[in-house]
Amino acid sequence: MSRIADLRFHAATTFQRRVGNPVLRRLPFQTVLETTGRVSGLPRRTPVGGRRVGDSFWLVSEFGDRSQYVRNIKADPRVRVRIRGRWHTGTAHLLPDDDPVARLRSLPRLNSIGVRAFGTALLTVRVDLDG
């Protein structure tokens, strides 16, 4: 990873961890992805932007394999997603062959702009929701 990309990664994740995520995950209608911590086994909640399409929820990780929630998904793909205030269980799938830039065009615009601006290793994630 280039030095500039590394700086963007550290700046964005520090802001998200200390300011953005603690505030956003408390908002009742913010979409939140809950994974199981790969080391702690505790629930980890991350505000995300994405869209439900049928029985799937789509999002793009801005830092790919460096995102903590992507690492947690690799260890345990069973997740929960809070969409419009309601929790849904499902199984997450990492899709490295999907075109994340094209995928962002079909997702909420404001979040997509941020992901493109700060992202260094975009990765599409699809969550197949249970019934």
Side-chain angles (χ1 to χ4, degrees):
M1 184 171 279
S2 74
R3 181 164 160 49
I4 292 173
D6 201 42
L7 288 172
R8 283 192 346 211
F9 170 77
H10 286 293
T13 57
T14 298
F15 175 80
Q16 289 168 343
R17 185 173 46 252
R18 296 186 183 186
V19 180
N21 290 358
V23 171
L24 289 174
R25 71 176 154 239
R26 287 186 175 95
L27 298 176
F29 288 99
Q30 168 67 45
T31 302
V32 175
L33 175 69
E34 182 181 85
T35 59
T36 301
R38 64 193 175 282
V39 175
S40 69
L42 299 174
R44 299 297 182 196
R45 293 182 176 176
T46 305
V48 295
R51 174 166 284 140
R52 182 175 183 163
V53 178
D55 289 333
S56 296
F57 181 81
W58 293 84
L59 68 127
V60 174
S61 169
E62 59 194 330
F63 301 116
D65 291 338
R66 292 184 80 181
S67 294
Q68 297 301 317
Y69 69 86
V70 169
R71 292 177 178 186
N72 290 341
I73 288 169
K74 284 182 173 182
D76 181 0
R78 294 295 300 163
V79 300
R80 291 192 323 151
V81 183
R82 188 178 72 192
I83 306 167
R84 295 184 181 136
R86 186 167 171 246
W87 285 101
H88 304 270
T89 59
T91 304
H93 303 276
L94 306 176
L95 304 172
D97 294 331
D98 189 67
D99 181 353
V101 174
R103 182 68 56 194
L104 283 171
R105 287 193 281 274
S106 69
L107 299 179
R109 182 171 290 167
L110 183 60
N111 180 74
S112 296
I113 290 169
V115 169
R116 277 194 294 265
F118 294 103
T120 57
L122 304 181
L123 175 65
T124 301
V125 179
R126 182 188 77 230
V127 178
D128 292 334
L129 302 172
D130 300 336

